[in-house]
Amino acid sequence: DVNARLRKDLATLNLTNLAGRFAYTQNAQQRRLVTQGLQGQFASPRVRLAPTDLELTLQASAGSSMGQGALKANQIDLGAVVALAAALPLPEADRERLRTWMPAGVLSAVEARWEGLEQPGRRFSLRGRFVDLSWRAVDYVPGANGLTGSLDATETGGTLSIDSGKS
């Protein structure tokens, strides 16, 4: 077992096993996170992380820490992200969003790109599949539970397909 604290003000991770590769780089203009086959078992918080290949690049632009970016992942277990958030060096606003929305489910074959999300003329593309996707109702956005399907979207439109087998 290994206990790890990634920053003094963060919760401790208790890992019972961890395998795969993890790399993080940061400079004034860009942050980049890459995992290859990252998998593990955590005793605290109690989470199992399935093998994950992920590449996240965030580039700063005027007035935004992530004005431009890209994400590619074979899978993202949203429940694991929520459970691990208190121990990860995320901006506090992101941790608060996770606590508010409480997303769950697994995203797979994720490919996303964005530019200028906080500005007029923003551009984005998002493609991926989801299984048992859930989130809490927040303000005017209704909650959802157990959605399975796929999404392929850009700023000009897209397609959302939902498997209604569980309805």
Side-chain angles (χ1 to χ4, degrees):
D1 289 6
V2 173
N3 290 318
R5 182 168 293 188
L6 302 179
R7 204 171 61 205
K8 281 195 279 187
D9 61 331
L10 297 175
T12 300
L13 289 168
N14 178 269
L15 300 100
T16 54
N17 73 41
L18 187 65
R21 294 176 184 249
F22 175 94
Y24 179 80
T25 57
Q26 178 176 345
N27 61 38
Q29 294 300 311
Q30 178 176 289
R31 292 179 286 164
R32 187 162 189 256
L33 168 70
V34 177
T35 69
Q36 294 176 329
L38 187 66
Q39 60 185 312
Q41 183 73 41
F42 299 84
S44 176
R46 191 166 207 88
V47 173
R48 180 187 171 280
L49 184 62
T52 302
D53 299 327
L54 180 140
E55 184 174 339
L56 172 65
T57 303
L58 301 173
Q59 294 181 329
S61 65
S64 173
S65 64
M66 57 179 239
Q68 184 176 336
L71 170 67
K72 187 172 184 176
N74 69 327
Q75 68 175 0
I76 301 171
D77 181 336
L78 295 172
V81 171
V82 170
L84 294 169
L88 298 176
L90 300 170
E92 185 55 37
D94 292 344
R95 260 195 288 285
E96 181 60 31
R97 278 193 275 288
L98 288 169
R99 284 190 297 265
T100 299
W101 290 90
M102 286 301 291
V106 176
L107 308 178
S108 62
V110 176
E111 292 185 36
R113 294 189 174 284
W114 60 91
E115 186 176 329
L117 288 181
E118 300 164 351
Q119 304 165 355
R122 64 185 153 258
R123 296 173 32 175
F124 70 90
S125 65
L126 174 60
R127 175 179 295 157
R129 294 187 302 270
F130 48 91
V131 175
D132 289 331
L133 181 62
S134 304
W135 64 86
R136 286 183 184 162
V138 177
D139 298 329
Y140 58 88
V141 178
N145 190 27
L147 297 176
T148 295
S150 63
L151 175 67
D152 188 352
T154 70
E155 70 279 355
T156 61
T159 303
L160 171 65
S161 300
I162 297 177
D163 177 0
S164 60
K166 289 188 176 182
S167 298

